[in-house]
Amino acid sequence: MGKLFVCDHPLIQHKLTYIRDESTLTKDFRELVDEVSTLMAYEITRDIPLETVQVKTPVTTTDCKVISGRMLGLIPILRAGLGMVDGILRLVPAAKVGHIGLYRDPETLEPVEYYVKLPTDVIERELIVIDPMLATGGSANAAITALKSRGCTQIKLMCLIAAPEGIHAVQQAHPDVDIYVAAIDDYLNDHGYIVPGLGDAGDRLFGTK
Ligand code: PRP
Ligand code: URA
């Protein structure tokens, strides 16, 4: 079973409150999602490996640490995952970005794939699938399956808000994938929206409703 991390740093929880608030308008919503993504990136990169190098300081030569191992790849699920990309790139600017376009059919709630464009060296990278919302888990599962079917093996999932149903679905389908969230909410309503949630993440990020 993949591990589940709840990023409960006070700054993340504070900003998430204003992200949820329906009176927060598009500009502030976008900025807050960006800021929380940076803070969550700090948590999700906590276990990346280091190696020792020698550095000559003006005083002496000493052993220091640098990041080693696989390079990162960010995989935003379109549209709403786009809102988290820049915040993560701020900490890991060398990461490459691949895009997976999915929308949820409003009737069936099943994900429909419409776009996939990945870095050519994607299978060599440690990947972070990003999407603000983990509701039924259908979109995240479809994105992870799309990556695995192309040979990717090192995959984490990062979401702002998750429903228990979505966490369960990903853990069942992809037990090798660790999940990072800022909050676990109560349940899904009859329309597949997370309660209390934040509404429609894509619409709130891009001002489309
Ligand atoms: C939202 C959200 C996730 C998905 C989560 O996208 O950004 O991708 O729903 O729901 P699930 O866990 O039940 O699959 P949406 O389909 O609204 O598309 P959009 O980002 O283009 O608005
Ligand atoms: N997608 C969203 O944007 N919000 C939800 O609550 C569920 C799915």
Side-chain angles (χ1 to χ4, degrees), residues 18 25 102 104 106 117 122 164-166:
Y18 293 97
L25 300 179
L102 296 168
R104 254 189 358 171
K117 183 75 181 176
V122 70
E165 295 90 330

Side-chain angles (χ1 to χ4, degrees), residues 77-81 102-105 109-111 114 131-141 166 188 192-194 200-203 206 208:
I77 300 178
L78 308 180
R79 276 177 310 171
L102 296 168
Y103 69 87
R104 254 189 358 171
D105 182 293
L109 302 183
E110 289 296 319
Y114 60 87
D131 193 327
M133 310 306 278
L134 180 61
T136 65
S139 301
N141 274 343
L188 293 178
Y193 275 83
I194 300 174
D200 187 301
D203 284 337
F206 298 109
T208 40

Side-chain angles (χ1 to χ4, degrees), residues 56-99:
K56 193 170 175 318
T57 75
V59 180
T60 187
T61 298
T62 184
D63 286 347
C64 293
K65 303 290 183 192
V66 291
I67 289 168
S68 70
R70 288 174 179 247
M71 301 296 284
L72 290 181
L74 309 183
I75 312 291
I77 300 178
L78 308 180
R79 276 177 310 171
L82 287 177
M84 300 173 71
V85 172
D86 287 348
I88 304 173
L89 285 177
R90 204 165 288 128
L91 285 194
V92 285
K96 289 188 178 174
V97 182
H99 297 86

